[in-house]
Amino acid sequence: EAAEAAAAEAAAVGAEEDEEVRQLVETGNMEQLANLVLNGEGHRLIGQKSDDPELQGFLNNVPAYMASFSKIT
């Protein structure tokens, strides 16, 4: 039961994080999205879509940014 409760809590936190990212993408807040990548949370941006070509280009490159940062650290 404890493991199920922990999994449910983790899923809830994940959903809240996804909502935050979705809103940042919708508003085109590239600065905050870049901060997520710089803070090691780029995985949260993978699979996000934007109608803004510049923002979509950034989102498409998140895995490459993450790989570059992992080599530096």
Short mmCIF file of all heavy atoms in Angstrom, two decimals:
data_model
loop_
_atom_site.label_atom_id
_atom_site.label_comp_id
_atom_site.label_asym_id
_atom_site.label_seq_id
_atom_site.Cartn_x
_atom_site.Cartn_y
_atom_site.Cartn_z
N GLU A 1 0.82 -1.20 0.00
CA GLU A 1 0.00 0.00 0.00
C GLU A 1 0.86 1.26 0.00
O GLU A 1 0.54 2.22 -0.69
CB GLU A 1 -0.93 0.02 1.23
CG GLU A 1 -2.08 -0.95 1.12
CD GLU A 1 -3.02 -0.85 2.31
OE1 GLU A 1 -3.03 0.21 2.95
OE2 GLU A 1 -3.71 -1.83 2.57
N ALA A 2 1.93 1.27 0.76
CA ALA A 2 2.79 2.45 0.82
C ALA A 2 3.40 2.74 -0.55
O ALA A 2 3.49 3.89 -0.96
CB ALA A 2 3.89 2.26 1.86
N ALA A 3 3.78 1.68 -1.27
CA ALA A 3 4.36 1.87 -2.60
C ALA A 3 3.32 2.44 -3.56
O ALA A 3 3.64 3.31 -4.38
CB ALA A 3 4.89 0.55 -3.13
N GLU A 4 2.08 1.97 -3.46
CA GLU A 4 1.01 2.50 -4.32
C GLU A 4 0.76 3.97 -4.02
O GLU A 4 0.57 4.77 -4.93
CB GLU A 4 -0.27 1.69 -4.15
CG GLU A 4 -0.20 0.30 -4.73
CD GLU A 4 -1.46 -0.50 -4.46
OE1 GLU A 4 -2.46 0.07 -4.04
OE2 GLU A 4 -1.42 -1.72 -4.68
N ALA A 5 0.75 4.33 -2.75
CA ALA A 5 0.52 5.72 -2.35
C ALA A 5 1.66 6.61 -2.86
O ALA A 5 1.42 7.71 -3.36
CB ALA A 5 0.39 5.83 -0.84
N ALA A 6 2.89 6.12 -2.76
CA ALA A 6 4.04 6.88 -3.24
C ALA A 6 3.97 7.06 -4.76
O ALA A 6 4.26 8.14 -5.28
CB ALA A 6 5.33 6.19 -2.85
N ALA A 7 3.56 6.02 -5.47
CA ALA A 7 3.43 6.11 -6.93
C ALA A 7 2.34 7.10 -7.32
O ALA A 7 2.50 7.89 -8.25
CB ALA A 7 3.15 4.74 -7.52
N ALA A 8 1.22 7.09 -6.59
CA ALA A 8 0.13 8.01 -6.87
C ALA A 8 0.56 9.45 -6.61
O ALA A 8 0.24 10.36 -7.38
CB ALA A 8 -1.10 7.66 -6.04
N GLU A 9 1.31 9.65 -5.54
CA GLU A 9 1.80 11.00 -5.22
C GLU A 9 2.79 11.47 -6.29
O GLU A 9 2.72 12.62 -6.73
CB GLU A 9 2.48 11.01 -3.85
CG GLU A 9 2.93 12.40 -3.44
CD GLU A 9 3.52 12.43 -2.03
OE1 GLU A 9 3.17 11.58 -1.20
OE2 GLU A 9 4.35 13.32 -1.80
N ALA A 10 3.67 10.60 -6.73
CA ALA A 10 4.62 10.96 -7.77
C ALA A 10 3.91 11.30 -9.07
O ALA A 10 4.28 12.24 -9.76
CB ALA A 10 5.61 9.81 -8.00
N ALA A 11 2.85 10.57 -9.39
CA ALA A 11 2.07 10.85 -10.60
C ALA A 11 1.39 12.21 -10.49
O ALA A 11 1.33 12.97 -11.46
CB ALA A 11 1.04 9.75 -10.84
N ALA A 12 0.89 12.54 -9.32
CA ALA A 12 0.24 13.84 -9.11
C ALA A 12 1.25 14.97 -9.27
O ALA A 12 0.96 15.98 -9.91
CB ALA A 12 -0.42 13.89 -7.74
N VAL A 13 2.43 14.79 -8.71
CA VAL A 13 3.47 15.81 -8.85
C VAL A 13 3.86 15.93 -10.31
O VAL A 13 4.01 17.03 -10.84
CB VAL A 13 4.70 15.46 -7.97
CG1 VAL A 13 5.89 16.34 -8.32
CG2 VAL A 13 4.33 15.60 -6.50
N GLY A 14 3.98 14.81 -11.00
CA GLY A 14 4.31 14.83 -12.43
C GLY A 14 3.26 15.57 -13.23
O GLY A 14 3.58 16.34 -14.14
N ALA A 15 2.00 15.37 -12.91
CA ALA A 15 0.91 16.05 -13.62
C ALA A 15 0.98 17.56 -13.38
O ALA A 15 0.76 18.35 -14.30
CB ALA A 15 -0.44 15.50 -13.17
N GLU A 16 1.28 17.96 -12.14
CA GLU A 16 1.42 19.38 -11.85
C GLU A 16 2.58 19.98 -12.63
O GLU A 16 2.48 21.08 -13.18
CB GLU A 16 1.64 19.60 -10.35
CG GLU A 16 0.41 19.34 -9.50
CD GLU A 16 0.72 19.38 -8.02
OE1 GLU A 16 1.81 19.86 -7.64
OE2 GLU A 16 -0.13 18.95 -7.24
N GLU A 17 3.69 19.27 -12.72
CA GLU A 17 4.84 19.75 -13.48
C GLU A 17 4.48 19.86 -14.95
O GLU A 17 4.85 20.83 -15.60
CB GLU A 17 6.03 18.80 -13.29
CG GLU A 17 6.65 18.88 -11.92
CD GLU A 17 7.81 17.91 -11.75
OE1 GLU A 17 8.01 17.04 -12.61
OE2 GLU A 17 8.51 18.03 -10.74
N ASP A 18 3.76 18.87 -15.48
CA ASP A 18 3.36 18.90 -16.88
C ASP A 18 2.48 20.11 -17.16
O ASP A 18 2.59 20.74 -18.21
CB ASP A 18 2.62 17.62 -17.27
CG ASP A 18 3.54 16.41 -17.34
OD1 ASP A 18 4.77 16.59 -17.32
OD2 ASP A 18 3.02 15.30 -17.41
N GLU A 19 1.60 20.45 -16.22
CA GLU A 19 0.73 21.61 -16.37
C GLU A 19 1.57 22.89 -16.41
O GLU A 19 1.32 23.78 -17.22
CB GLU A 19 -0.30 21.67 -15.24
CG GLU A 19 -1.21 22.88 -15.29
CD GLU A 19 -2.11 22.94 -16.51
OE1 GLU A 19 -2.31 21.90 -17.17
OE2 GLU A 19 -2.61 24.03 -16.82
N GLU A 20 2.57 22.97 -15.54
CA GLU A 20 3.45 24.13 -15.53
C GLU A 20 4.15 24.28 -16.88
O GLU A 20 4.18 25.37 -17.47
CB GLU A 20 4.49 24.00 -14.42
CG GLU A 20 5.50 25.13 -14.41
CD GLU A 20 6.67 24.89 -13.47
OE1 GLU A 20 6.83 23.78 -12.94
OE2 GLU A 20 7.43 25.86 -13.28
N VAL A 21 4.70 23.19 -17.39
CA VAL A 21 5.41 23.22 -18.67
C VAL A 21 4.44 23.57 -19.79
O VAL A 21 4.77 24.38 -20.66
CB VAL A 21 6.12 21.86 -18.93
CG1 VAL A 21 6.61 21.77 -20.36
CG2 VAL A 21 7.26 21.68 -17.95
N ARG A 22 3.26 22.99 -19.77
CA ARG A 22 2.27 23.27 -20.82
C ARG A 22 1.95 24.76 -20.87
O ARG A 22 1.89 25.35 -21.94
CB ARG A 22 0.99 22.45 -20.58
CG ARG A 22 -0.01 22.54 -21.72
CD ARG A 22 -1.31 21.84 -21.38
NE ARG A 22 -1.99 22.45 -20.25
CZ ARG A 22 -2.64 23.62 -20.30
NH1 ARG A 22 -2.71 24.30 -21.42
NH2 ARG A 22 -3.25 24.10 -19.23
N GLN A 23 1.79 25.35 -19.70
CA GLN A 23 1.48 26.78 -19.65
C GLN A 23 2.66 27.61 -20.14
O GLN A 23 2.47 28.61 -20.84
CB GLN A 23 1.07 27.19 -18.24
CG GLN A 23 -0.31 26.70 -17.87
CD GLN A 23 -0.77 27.18 -16.51
OE1 GLN A 23 -0.03 27.85 -15.80
NE2 GLN A 23 -1.98 26.83 -16.15
N LEU A 24 3.87 27.23 -19.78
CA LEU A 24 5.05 27.96 -20.26
C LEU A 24 5.16 27.88 -21.78
O LEU A 24 5.50 28.87 -22.44
CB LEU A 24 6.32 27.41 -19.61
CG LEU A 24 6.49 27.66 -18.12
CD1 LEU A 24 7.69 26.90 -17.57
CD2 LEU A 24 6.61 29.15 -17.82
N VAL A 25 4.85 26.71 -22.34
CA VAL A 25 4.89 26.55 -23.79
C VAL A 25 3.79 27.39 -24.43
O VAL A 25 4.03 28.10 -25.42
CB VAL A 25 4.77 25.06 -24.19
CG1 VAL A 25 4.56 24.91 -25.69
CG2 VAL A 25 6.01 24.29 -23.74
N GLU A 26 2.58 27.33 -23.87
CA GLU A 26 1.46 28.09 -24.43
C GLU A 26 1.73 29.58 -24.44
O GLU A 26 1.36 30.28 -25.39
CB GLU A 26 0.18 27.83 -23.63
CG GLU A 26 -0.52 26.56 -24.02
CD GLU A 26 -1.84 26.38 -23.30
OE1 GLU A 26 -2.32 27.32 -22.64
OE2 GLU A 26 -2.40 25.28 -23.41
N THR A 27 2.37 30.09 -23.39
CA THR A 27 2.64 31.53 -23.30
C THR A 27 3.94 31.91 -24.01
O THR A 27 4.26 33.10 -24.10
CB THR A 27 2.69 32.01 -21.83
OG1 THR A 27 3.71 31.29 -21.14
CG2 THR A 27 1.35 31.81 -21.16
N GLY A 28 4.67 30.91 -24.49
CA GLY A 28 5.92 31.18 -25.20
C GLY A 28 7.02 31.69 -24.31
O GLY A 28 7.89 32.45 -24.74
N ASN A 29 7.02 31.27 -23.05
CA ASN A 29 8.00 31.75 -22.07
C ASN A 29 9.31 30.98 -22.23
O ASN A 29 9.64 30.10 -21.44
CB ASN A 29 7.44 31.61 -20.66
CG ASN A 29 8.24 32.36 -19.65
OD1 ASN A 29 9.43 32.58 -19.82
ND2 ASN A 29 7.59 32.77 -18.57
N MET A 30 10.05 31.34 -23.27
CA MET A 30 11.27 30.61 -23.58
C MET A 30 12.33 30.76 -22.49
O MET A 30 13.10 29.83 -22.25
CB MET A 30 11.83 31.05 -24.93
CG MET A 30 12.74 30.00 -25.50
SD MET A 30 13.26 30.16 -27.20
CE MET A 30 11.84 30.65 -28.10
N GLU A 31 12.36 31.89 -21.82
CA GLU A 31 13.35 32.09 -20.75
C GLU A 31 13.14 31.07 -19.64
O GLU A 31 14.10 30.43 -19.18
CB GLU A 31 13.24 33.51 -20.19
CG GLU A 31 14.30 33.81 -19.16
CD GLU A 31 14.25 35.25 -18.66
OE1 GLU A 31 13.64 36.11 -19.31
OE2 GLU A 31 14.83 35.49 -17.59
N GLN A 32 11.90 30.88 -19.20
CA GLN A 32 11.62 29.91 -18.14
C GLN A 32 11.86 28.48 -18.63
O GLN A 32 12.35 27.63 -17.88
CB GLN A 32 10.19 30.06 -17.63
CG GLN A 32 10.00 31.21 -16.68
CD GLN A 32 10.85 31.07 -15.44
OE1 GLN A 32 11.84 31.78 -15.26
NE2 GLN A 32 10.49 30.17 -14.58
N LEU A 33 11.52 28.21 -19.89
CA LEU A 33 11.76 26.88 -20.44
C LEU A 33 13.27 26.60 -20.50
O LEU A 33 13.70 25.50 -20.16
CB LEU A 33 11.12 26.77 -21.83
CG LEU A 33 9.59 26.80 -21.83
CD1 LEU A 33 9.06 26.99 -23.24
CD2 LEU A 33 9.01 25.54 -21.19
N ALA A 34 14.05 27.60 -20.90
CA ALA A 34 15.51 27.43 -20.93
C ALA A 34 16.04 27.19 -19.52
O ALA A 34 16.94 26.37 -19.33
CB ALA A 34 16.16 28.66 -21.55
N ASN A 35 15.46 27.88 -18.54
CA ASN A 35 15.89 27.67 -17.15
C ASN A 35 15.63 26.23 -16.71
O ASN A 35 16.44 25.67 -15.96
CB ASN A 35 15.18 28.65 -16.21
CG ASN A 35 15.81 30.02 -16.22
OD1 ASN A 35 16.99 30.16 -16.53
ND2 ASN A 35 15.03 31.03 -15.91
N LEU A 36 14.52 25.65 -17.14
CA LEU A 36 14.26 24.25 -16.80
C LEU A 36 15.37 23.36 -17.34
O LEU A 36 15.85 22.46 -16.64
CB LEU A 36 12.90 23.80 -17.36
CG LEU A 36 11.66 24.34 -16.66
CD1 LEU A 36 10.41 23.91 -17.41
CD2 LEU A 36 11.60 23.88 -15.22
N VAL A 37 15.78 23.60 -18.58
CA VAL A 37 16.85 22.80 -19.18
C VAL A 37 18.15 23.01 -18.39
O VAL A 37 18.83 22.04 -18.04
CB VAL A 37 17.05 23.16 -20.67
CG1 VAL A 37 18.23 22.39 -21.25
CG2 VAL A 37 15.78 22.87 -21.46
N LEU A 38 18.47 24.27 -18.10
CA LEU A 38 19.70 24.57 -17.37
C LEU A 38 19.71 23.95 -15.97
O LEU A 38 20.76 23.62 -15.43
CB LEU A 38 19.90 26.08 -17.27
CG LEU A 38 20.22 26.78 -18.59
CD1 LEU A 38 20.16 28.28 -18.42
CD2 LEU A 38 21.57 26.34 -19.11
N ASN A 39 18.52 23.80 -15.39
CA ASN A 39 18.40 23.23 -14.04
C ASN A 39 18.28 21.71 -14.05
O ASN A 39 17.94 21.11 -13.03
CB ASN A 39 17.21 23.85 -13.30
CG ASN A 39 17.47 25.30 -12.94
OD1 ASN A 39 18.60 25.69 -12.70
ND2 ASN A 39 16.42 26.09 -12.91
N GLY A 40 18.51 21.10 -15.21
CA GLY A 40 18.48 19.64 -15.29
C GLY A 40 17.09 19.05 -15.41
O GLY A 40 16.90 17.86 -15.16
N GLU A 41 16.11 19.86 -15.79
CA GLU A 41 14.74 19.37 -15.91
C GLU A 41 14.26 19.36 -17.36
O GLU A 41 13.06 19.39 -17.63
CB GLU A 41 13.80 20.23 -15.06
CG GLU A 41 14.12 20.16 -13.58
CD GLU A 41 13.14 20.97 -12.76
OE1 GLU A 41 11.93 20.70 -12.86
OE2 GLU A 41 13.59 21.87 -12.02
N GLY A 42 15.19 19.30 -18.28
CA GLY A 42 14.84 19.30 -19.71
C GLY A 42 13.94 18.16 -20.11
O GLY A 42 13.15 18.29 -21.05
N HIS A 43 14.02 17.05 -19.38
CA HIS A 43 13.17 15.89 -19.70
C HIS A 43 11.69 16.27 -19.68
O HIS A 43 10.89 15.65 -20.37
CB HIS A 43 13.44 14.75 -18.71
CG HIS A 43 13.13 15.10 -17.30
ND1 HIS A 43 14.03 15.80 -16.49
CD2 HIS A 43 12.03 14.89 -16.54
CE1 HIS A 43 13.47 15.98 -15.30
NE2 HIS A 43 12.26 15.44 -15.30
N ARG A 44 11.35 17.29 -18.91
CA ARG A 44 9.95 17.71 -18.82
C ARG A 44 9.46 18.36 -20.12
O ARG A 44 8.26 18.46 -20.34
CB ARG A 44 9.77 18.70 -17.66
CG ARG A 44 9.99 18.07 -16.31
CD ARG A 44 10.01 19.05 -15.18
NE ARG A 44 8.80 19.86 -15.12
CZ ARG A 44 8.67 20.94 -14.36
NH1 ARG A 44 9.68 21.34 -13.61
NH2 ARG A 44 7.54 21.62 -14.35
N LEU A 45 10.39 18.80 -20.97
CA LEU A 45 10.02 19.48 -22.21
C LEU A 45 9.93 18.54 -23.40
O LEU A 45 9.40 18.91 -24.44
CB LEU A 45 11.04 20.59 -22.52
CG LEU A 45 11.28 21.61 -21.41
CD1 LEU A 45 12.25 22.67 -21.88
CD2 LEU A 45 9.98 22.24 -20.96
N ILE A 46 10.44 17.33 -23.25
CA ILE A 46 10.45 16.40 -24.37
C ILE A 46 9.02 16.05 -24.77
O ILE A 46 8.20 15.71 -23.93
CB ILE A 46 11.25 15.13 -24.00
CG1 ILE A 46 12.62 15.57 -23.58
CG2 ILE A 46 11.18 14.10 -25.11
CD1 ILE A 46 13.80 14.88 -24.07
N GLY A 47 8.75 16.17 -26.06
CA GLY A 47 7.42 15.85 -26.58
C GLY A 47 6.45 17.03 -26.59
O GLY A 47 5.35 16.90 -27.09
N GLN A 48 6.87 18.17 -26.05
CA GLN A 48 6.00 19.35 -26.07
C GLN A 48 5.95 19.91 -27.49
O GLN A 48 6.91 19.81 -28.25
CB GLN A 48 6.52 20.42 -25.10
CG GLN A 48 6.44 20.02 -23.65
CD GLN A 48 5.01 19.91 -23.16
OE1 GLN A 48 4.15 20.69 -23.52
NE2 GLN A 48 4.76 18.92 -22.32
N LYS A 49 4.82 20.51 -27.84
CA LYS A 49 4.62 21.08 -29.18
C LYS A 49 4.19 22.53 -29.06
O LYS A 49 3.48 22.91 -28.13
CB LYS A 49 3.53 20.31 -29.94
CG LYS A 49 3.81 18.82 -30.10
CD LYS A 49 4.90 18.59 -31.11
CE LYS A 49 5.15 17.11 -31.31
NZ LYS A 49 6.50 16.81 -31.64
N SER A 50 4.63 23.34 -30.02
CA SER A 50 4.25 24.75 -30.07
C SER A 50 3.98 25.15 -31.52
O SER A 50 4.62 24.64 -32.45
CB SER A 50 5.38 25.63 -29.51
OG SER A 50 5.07 26.99 -29.70
N ASP A 51 3.03 26.06 -31.70
CA ASP A 51 2.76 26.61 -33.03
C ASP A 51 3.79 27.67 -33.42
O ASP A 51 3.88 28.05 -34.58
CB ASP A 51 1.35 27.23 -33.08
CG ASP A 51 0.26 26.18 -32.95
OD1 ASP A 51 0.50 25.01 -33.34
OD2 ASP A 51 -0.83 26.51 -32.45
N ASP A 52 4.55 28.15 -32.44
CA ASP A 52 5.59 29.15 -32.68
C ASP A 52 6.83 28.43 -33.22
O ASP A 52 7.43 27.62 -32.52
CB ASP A 52 5.90 29.87 -31.36
CG ASP A 52 7.01 30.90 -31.47
OD1 ASP A 52 7.90 30.76 -32.34
OD2 ASP A 52 7.00 31.84 -30.66
N PRO A 53 7.22 28.72 -34.46
CA PRO A 53 8.36 28.00 -35.05
C PRO A 53 9.66 28.13 -34.25
O PRO A 53 10.41 27.17 -34.13
CB PRO A 53 8.53 28.63 -36.43
CG PRO A 53 7.21 29.28 -36.72
CD PRO A 53 6.62 29.67 -35.40
N GLU A 54 9.93 29.32 -33.71
CA GLU A 54 11.15 29.52 -32.92
C GLU A 54 11.11 28.67 -31.65
O GLU A 54 12.10 28.00 -31.31
CB GLU A 54 11.31 31.00 -32.56
CG GLU A 54 12.60 31.29 -31.84
CD GLU A 54 12.77 32.77 -31.49
OE1 GLU A 54 11.90 33.59 -31.85
OE2 GLU A 54 13.77 33.08 -30.85
N LEU A 55 9.98 28.68 -30.97
CA LEU A 55 9.84 27.89 -29.74
C LEU A 55 9.90 26.40 -30.06
O LEU A 55 10.54 25.62 -29.34
CB LEU A 55 8.54 28.24 -29.02
CG LEU A 55 8.28 27.51 -27.72
CD1 LEU A 55 9.43 27.63 -26.74
CD2 LEU A 55 7.00 28.04 -27.08
N GLN A 56 9.26 25.98 -31.16
CA GLN A 56 9.30 24.57 -31.53
C GLN A 56 10.73 24.14 -31.84
O GLN A 56 11.14 23.04 -31.49
CB GLN A 56 8.38 24.27 -32.72
CG GLN A 56 8.26 22.78 -33.01
CD GLN A 56 7.72 21.98 -31.85
OE1 GLN A 56 6.68 22.31 -31.31
NE2 GLN A 56 8.42 20.93 -31.45
N GLY A 57 11.50 25.02 -32.48
CA GLY A 57 12.90 24.71 -32.74
C GLY A 57 13.67 24.49 -31.45
O GLY A 57 14.48 23.56 -31.36
N PHE A 58 13.40 25.34 -30.46
CA PHE A 58 14.02 25.17 -29.15
C PHE A 58 13.63 23.82 -28.55
O PHE A 58 14.48 23.06 -28.09
CB PHE A 58 13.61 26.32 -28.22
CG PHE A 58 14.02 26.10 -26.79
CD1 PHE A 58 15.32 26.36 -26.38
CD2 PHE A 58 13.11 25.63 -25.86
CE1 PHE A 58 15.70 26.16 -25.06
CE2 PHE A 58 13.49 25.42 -24.54
CZ PHE A 58 14.79 25.69 -24.15
N LEU A 59 12.33 23.53 -28.57
CA LEU A 59 11.83 22.27 -27.98
C LEU A 59 12.45 21.07 -28.69
O LEU A 59 12.81 20.08 -28.05
CB LEU A 59 10.31 22.21 -28.06
CG LEU A 59 9.57 23.22 -27.18
CD1 LEU A 59 8.09 23.24 -27.54
CD2 LEU A 59 9.76 22.92 -25.71
N ASN A 60 12.58 21.16 -30.02
CA ASN A 60 13.17 20.06 -30.78
C ASN A 60 14.63 19.81 -30.39
O ASN A 60 15.13 18.69 -30.51
CB ASN A 60 13.10 20.35 -32.28
CG ASN A 60 11.69 20.31 -32.82
OD1 ASN A 60 10.76 19.82 -32.18
ND2 ASN A 60 11.51 20.86 -34.01
N ASN A 61 15.32 20.87 -29.95
CA ASN A 61 16.73 20.75 -29.62
C ASN A 61 17.01 20.44 -28.16
O ASN A 61 18.17 20.28 -27.77
CB ASN A 61 17.46 22.04 -30.01
CG ASN A 61 17.70 22.11 -31.50
OD1 ASN A 61 18.22 21.18 -32.09
ND2 ASN A 61 17.31 23.21 -32.11
N VAL A 62 15.97 20.33 -27.34
CA VAL A 62 16.17 20.06 -25.91
C VAL A 62 17.04 18.83 -25.68
O VAL A 62 17.98 18.90 -24.87
CB VAL A 62 14.82 19.98 -25.15
CG1 VAL A 62 15.00 19.37 -23.77
CG2 VAL A 62 14.20 21.37 -25.04
N PRO A 63 16.81 17.71 -26.35
CA PRO A 63 17.69 16.55 -26.09
C PRO A 63 19.17 16.85 -26.37
O PRO A 63 20.04 16.41 -25.62
CB PRO A 63 17.16 15.47 -27.04
CG PRO A 63 15.72 15.85 -27.24
CD PRO A 63 15.70 17.35 -27.25
N ALA A 64 19.44 17.63 -27.41
CA ALA A 64 20.83 17.98 -27.72
C ALA A 64 21.40 18.89 -26.64
O ALA A 64 22.56 18.74 -26.24
CB ALA A 64 20.92 18.66 -29.08
N TYR A 65 20.59 19.84 -26.17
CA TYR A 65 21.05 20.72 -25.08
C TYR A 65 21.37 19.89 -23.84
O TYR A 65 22.38 20.11 -23.18
CB TYR A 65 19.99 21.76 -24.72
CG TYR A 65 19.59 22.69 -25.84
CD1 TYR A 65 18.28 23.13 -25.94
CD2 TYR A 65 20.50 23.15 -26.78
CE1 TYR A 65 17.90 24.00 -26.95
CE2 TYR A 65 20.12 24.01 -27.79
CZ TYR A 65 18.82 24.43 -27.87
OH TYR A 65 18.44 25.29 -28.86
N MET A 66 20.49 18.95 -23.53
CA MET A 66 20.69 18.12 -22.34
C MET A 66 21.98 17.30 -22.47
O MET A 66 22.73 17.17 -21.51
CB MET A 66 19.48 17.20 -22.13
CG MET A 66 18.24 17.95 -21.71
SD MET A 66 16.73 16.96 -21.72
CE MET A 66 17.20 15.52 -20.80
N ALA A 67 22.22 16.78 -23.66
CA ALA A 67 23.44 15.99 -23.88
C ALA A 67 24.68 16.87 -23.73
O ALA A 67 25.67 16.44 -23.12
CB ALA A 67 23.40 15.35 -25.26
N SER A 68 24.61 18.10 -24.23
CA SER A 68 25.75 19.02 -24.10
C SER A 68 26.03 19.33 -22.64
O SER A 68 27.18 19.36 -22.21
CB SER A 68 25.46 20.32 -24.85
OG SER A 68 25.38 20.08 -26.23
N PHE A 69 24.97 19.59 -21.87
CA PHE A 69 25.15 19.93 -20.45
C PHE A 69 25.69 18.75 -19.67
O PHE A 69 26.48 18.93 -18.75
CB PHE A 69 23.84 20.41 -19.83
CG PHE A 69 23.35 21.71 -20.42
CD1 PHE A 69 22.01 21.90 -20.64
CD2 PHE A 69 24.22 22.73 -20.76
CE1 PHE A 69 21.55 23.09 -21.19
CE2 PHE A 69 23.79 23.91 -21.31
CZ PHE A 69 22.44 24.10 -21.52
N SER A 70 25.26 17.55 -20.03
CA SER A 70 25.73 16.38 -19.28
C SER A 70 27.23 16.16 -19.51
O SER A 70 27.93 15.66 -18.64
CB SER A 70 24.94 15.14 -19.63
OG SER A 70 25.23 14.72 -20.95
N LYS A 71 27.75 16.57 -20.66
CA LYS A 71 29.18 16.44 -20.94
C LYS A 71 29.99 17.45 -20.14
O LYS A 71 31.13 17.20 -19.78
CB LYS A 71 29.45 16.63 -22.43
CG LYS A 71 28.94 15.51 -23.29
CD LYS A 71 29.17 15.78 -24.74
CE LYS A 71 28.54 14.70 -25.61
NZ LYS A 71 28.61 15.01 -27.03
N ILE A 72 29.37 18.61 -19.88
CA ILE A 72 30.07 19.67 -19.16
C ILE A 72 30.17 19.35 -17.68
O ILE A 72 31.20 19.59 -17.05
CB ILE A 72 29.33 21.03 -19.37
CG1 ILE A 72 29.43 21.45 -20.83
CG2 ILE A 72 29.89 22.11 -18.46
CD1 ILE A 72 28.55 22.61 -21.21
N THR A 73 29.09 18.79 -17.12
CA THR A 73 29.04 18.57 -15.67
C THR A 73 29.69 17.29 -15.24
O THR A 73 30.13 16.48 -15.87
CB THR A 73 27.59 18.57 -15.15
OG1 THR A 73 26.85 17.58 -15.86
CG2 THR A 73 26.99 19.94 -15.30
#
